[in-house]
Amino acid sequence: MVIIDTDPGLDDAVAVLFALQSGRFEVLGLTTVAGNLGIDVTTRNAGRLLALLDRGDIPAIAGAGAPLARPGIDEADIHGDDGLGGVLLPEGAPPFPGFAPSWIADRLREAPAGSIDILALGPLTNIALMLRDHADAAARIGRLIVMGGVVRDKGNAGPHSEFNFACDPEATAMVLAAGLDVTIVPLDVTRKVRADREYLAALNGKSTAATAAAELIAAYFKDGRESRPLHDPCVMLYAVAPELFNTTKQSFSVDISHGADAGAVLPNAGGFPVSVLMDVDATGALDLLGQGLSTSHP
Ligand code: RIB
Ligand code: CA
């Protein structure tokens, strides 16, 4: 079973569509967080993705509208003001009542310890709030697989920081120090999993999810770029096919300054070790993504 914590967002949307269409996940809910856009937009988009695939049985629950201790970063220039690059999806149901950190905690308390994985595709604010306010439940998390950080590559927020971690450095520091089974999926890997126009053409028409994913990725293309990185889908791909990735163990501290590299992860022998993906079979990953999006359901 999985809970997807997300800030849709174009690549989040592709990741969620894969999780829903592939049949490889029992998705308990989509919890939303402010990140790429504000909480109202990310929550509406989560509902739209569920409506597109007729998954009204899965709730979307709104979470944190701002980082723990600083203003958020606006990414509308990449994802568009609607967060979906103008791709039209059906309106979803109103969000499930409640607050995401509490909702996640309740699900964790109800299920056998370790039986729910959390797939985190945006800033880690909701996870940190759950750690702070529901520590008993947080201890019951299975795997926590997080798209975030950059180890050797250049950053996409600051010179050495990645957007999700830079949005909420304090939350990131709390989560990485909590002693959970954390796997970080950094830009070093996600930038290698790239969709080009040929890939989009092969997706188009294979299923409702595949066609929507092709449109969402196409909206991601800017000023004639030849390909676009599929950051968030790598979390789902690792969850179902870890053999496609090389991992290492590393302890990090997090830059929680207010400088240009806020949110950067710094190797720190004294920290709690987490797993970090360091390489990927990009062809295998793209093939798996395409297969999962194109899965037909009876
Ligand atoms: O740095 C990439 C991450 O930031 C992805 O999760 C993308 O959706 C944006 O939120
Ligand atoms: Ca995201």
Side-chain angles (χ1 to χ4, degrees):
M1 295 181 284
V2 297
I3 293 170
I4 301 172
D5 193 69
T6 180
D7 62 333
L10 288 163
D11 59 322
D12 300 69
V14 176
V16 168
L17 290 172
F18 172 77
L20 296 174
Q21 186 70 17
S22 66
R24 305 290 297 270
F25 300 88
E26 182 184 352
V27 179
L28 298 181
L30 304 183
T31 54
T32 58
V33 63
N36 285 318
L37 292 116
I39 190 66
D40 292 342
V41 176
T42 59
T43 304
R44 187 180 66 216
N45 288 341
R48 285 174 159 171
L49 292 165
L50 294 167
L52 177 72
L53 299 190
D54 196 22
R55 293 307 305 270
D57 57 304
I58 298 174
I61 310 95
L68 291 185
R70 61 180 71 208
I73 307 172
D74 178 11
E75 281 285 76
D77 62 320
I78 292 178
H79 301 271
D81 290 340
D82 67 353
L84 298 174
V87 174
L88 295 179
L89 299 182
E91 278 309 324
F96 191 82
F99 185 51
S102 307
W103 184 89
I104 296 171
D106 290 343
R107 300 297 75 72
L108 288 166
R109 292 186 183 109
E110 288 165 358
S115 62
I116 298 175
D117 294 338
I118 296 179
L119 309 182
L121 312 182
L124 292 172
T125 318
N126 286 338
I127 313 303
L129 288 172
M130 193 202 26
L131 282 169
R132 188 191 72 186
D133 301 336
H134 307 279
D136 65 302
R140 302 172 66 83
I141 296 172
R143 298 180 297 174
L144 173 57
I145 308 173
V146 174
M147 192 281 136
V150 57
V151 180
R152 296 194 184 92
D153 263 14
K154 65 182 175 51
N156 66 352
H160 304 95
S161 62
E162 176 277 330
F163 176 79
N164 286 337
F165 286 10
C167 265
D168 200 335
E170 287 76 12
T172 303
M174 280 177 67
V175 170
L176 296 194
L180 299 173
D181 174 3
V182 177
T183 298
I184 292 175
V185 185
L187 289 177
D188 309 73
V189 165
T190 63
R191 280 178 170 145
K192 295 178 180 177
V193 182
R194 307 185 72 84
D196 58 18
R197 295 186 189 284
E198 186 182 344
Y199 187 78
L200 304 191
L203 276 180
N204 216 1
K206 293 288 184 4
S207 73
T208 301
T211 301
E215 290 171 358
L216 290 159
I217 299 168
Y220 209 359
F221 277 74
K222 293 275 185 193
D223 44 64
R225 288 185 209 179
E226 288 311 305
S227 67
R228 293 299 282 145
L230 299 177
H231 302 299
D232 292 335
C234 288
V235 169
M236 281 63 179
L237 295 170
Y238 174 74
V240 295
E243 68 279 4
L244 293 175
F245 299 83
N246 293 338
T247 64
T248 186
K249 280 280 192 186
Q250 175 85 54
S251 303
F252 292 106
S253 55
V254 179
D255 178 338
I256 56 171
S257 74
H258 286 263
D261 261 338
V265 291
L266 313 161
N268 164 16
F272 192 86
V274 296
S275 294
V276 190
L277 305 192
M278 291 310 288
D279 205 354
V280 58
D281 166 5
T283 302
L286 286 166
D287 288 348
L288 178 58
L289 179 65
Q291 290 158 18
L293 286 166
S294 307
T295 301
S296 59
H297 290 299

